[in-house]
Amino acid sequence: IECSAMASETLGRTFDIHGGGPDLVFPHHENEIAQSEGAFGQPFANVWMHCGALRVGEEKMSKSLGNFFTIRDVLKHYGALWGEARAAEVVRYFLVRGHYRSQIAYDESLLADAKTALDRLYIALRDTPPAAGEVDWNEPHAQRFAAAMDDDFNTSVAVAALFELATEINRSKSAELARQLRGLGGVLGMLQKEPTDYLRGGASRTATAALDAVVSDPTRPKDAHEAAIDNLIAQRAAAKNSKNFAEADRIRAELAAQGIVLEDGPSGTTWRRQ
């Protein structure tokens, strides 16, 4: 009864979306409908969205099984590795890439795979800056995206449309398609950060400790770690120009050991965190 009372007080006697797990359909949600509609004589919720369970291994996540952790726990752990904002967006992508009614299996390798996939979308936007403007909903990728979202909130198919766009952007270097990718990602609450900032993320504790040796000033500013990375990249470029390829490879390996990935391109070398 408290659910009906809270819902009517907070959301009104009829509201749009009611969520919950499939195990609550009967008797919990059917009781809510019966008592709320019996009390007020009008529809209770317009749409019911019953979400699949989050599983750890072969078991449903639950406090009683001792395999329970919170979003805060995940963000604290991965925020130290990837940066807080980057970790939060990876978790969002991890959840929306599957249909909301499907069960989601959680383990660290799957979350790492989600980060790699999201990085790919941001790399497309980094290499091809989006044109200004809003989403063109008549464009084919946007139409497929909208059709998927209209089909029982099928974010899995919608996300596939984003990767089709990224592939086409990498091929064509179209700023208009990059605008589409950024705008459609925004519908899902993703791809709104400046790509270079996202890809550089927050330093991991290991990378920070390693770069501390490069930056000796104890009063160094907040961005000194990035300056240290840029300095090593400049040293590598100088080594390559003097054909000291062994030194260039050593610097690349040093940065890789600190979780820094170098990407050489026509306009120079960029870097991102793993």
Side-chain angles (χ1 to χ4, degrees):
I1 191 64
E2 75 272 23
C3 293
S4 291
M6 289 188 293
S8 62
E9 174 67 21
T10 305
L11 304 174
R13 296 182 177 185
T14 300
F15 54 93
D16 286 331
I17 300 174
H18 195 308
D23 53 324
L24 298 179
V25 173
F26 176 83
H28 189 90
H29 288 162
E30 291 193 5
N31 284 344
E32 282 189 71
I33 294 170
Q35 60 203 16
S36 297
E37 296 188 1
F40 302 126
Q42 61 190 65
F44 179 47
N46 293 326
V47 176
W48 289 82
M49 298 181 73
H50 292 97
C51 302
L54 182 62
R55 304 188 70 84
V56 179
E58 298 299 319
E59 297 179 320
K60 175 183 174 181
M61 181 185 290
S62 68
K63 290 183 178 179
S64 62
L65 294 175
N67 62 356
F68 178 84
F69 48 86
T70 68
I71 290 289
R72 288 187 181 90
D73 296 331
V74 174
L75 294 183
K76 181 178 180 181
H77 175 71
Y78 287 100
L81 297 172
W82 303 334
E84 292 181 4
R86 191 183 191 190
E89 191 161 342
V90 169
V91 171
R92 175 183 287 270
Y93 170 75
F94 172 75
L95 294 173
V96 303
R97 70 176 178 177
H99 193 278
Y100 76 91
R101 284 192 283 105
S102 64
Q103 295 188 358
I104 299 176
Y106 174 87
D107 67 41
E108 293 192 351
S109 66
L110 292 176
L111 202 62
D113 175 68
K115 184 190 78 68
T116 299
L118 187 59
D119 284 357
R120 178 185 162 197
L121 298 179
Y122 265 109
I123 289 170
L125 294 176
R126 181 200 64 189
D127 294 344
T128 305
E134 303 296 325
V135 172
D136 175 8
W137 290 102
N138 293 316
E139 188 270 330
H141 294 92
Q143 289 183 336
R144 289 196 289 275
F145 180 96
M149 295 294 283
D150 287 343
D151 181 17
D152 193 21
F153 202 61
N154 196 337
T155 55
S156 178
V157 175
V159 165
L162 300 185
F163 282 94
E164 292 170 6
L165 262 173
T167 298
E168 183 62 23
I169 291 164
N170 291 334
R171 185 191 66 80
S172 67
K173 303 301 180 184
S174 168
E176 287 72 26
L177 290 181
R179 178 201 64 213
Q180 293 291 93
L181 176 59
R182 183 177 178 88
L184 294 175
V187 175
L188 299 174
M190 303 186 304
L191 304 182
Q192 302 307 293
K193 298 178 179 62
E194 200 286 318
T196 299
D197 289 344
Y198 166 85
L199 290 165
R200 292 184 175 184
S204 70
R205 290 168 182 168
T206 301
T208 300
L211 289 171
D212 277 347
V214 181
V215 184
S216 59
D217 180 7
T219 63
R220 57 189 176 275
K222 182 178 181 181
D223 64 346
H225 294 306
E226 293 190 4
I229 295 170
D230 291 338
N231 181 47
L232 286 174
I233 290 173
Q235 292 179 36
R236 175 175 174 266
K240 290 175 68 177
N241 288 336
S242 62
K243 300 189 183 305
N244 187 353
F245 298 113
E247 175 64 7
D249 290 343
R250 185 198 67 76
I251 293 172
R252 177 189 281 274
E254 177 184 343
L255 289 169
Q258 299 163 4
I260 305 300
V261 178
L262 299 186
E263 296 175 340
D264 295 321
S267 59
T269 300
T270 59
W271 64 271
R272 61 183 176 87
R273 301 192 191 278
Q274 289 181 339

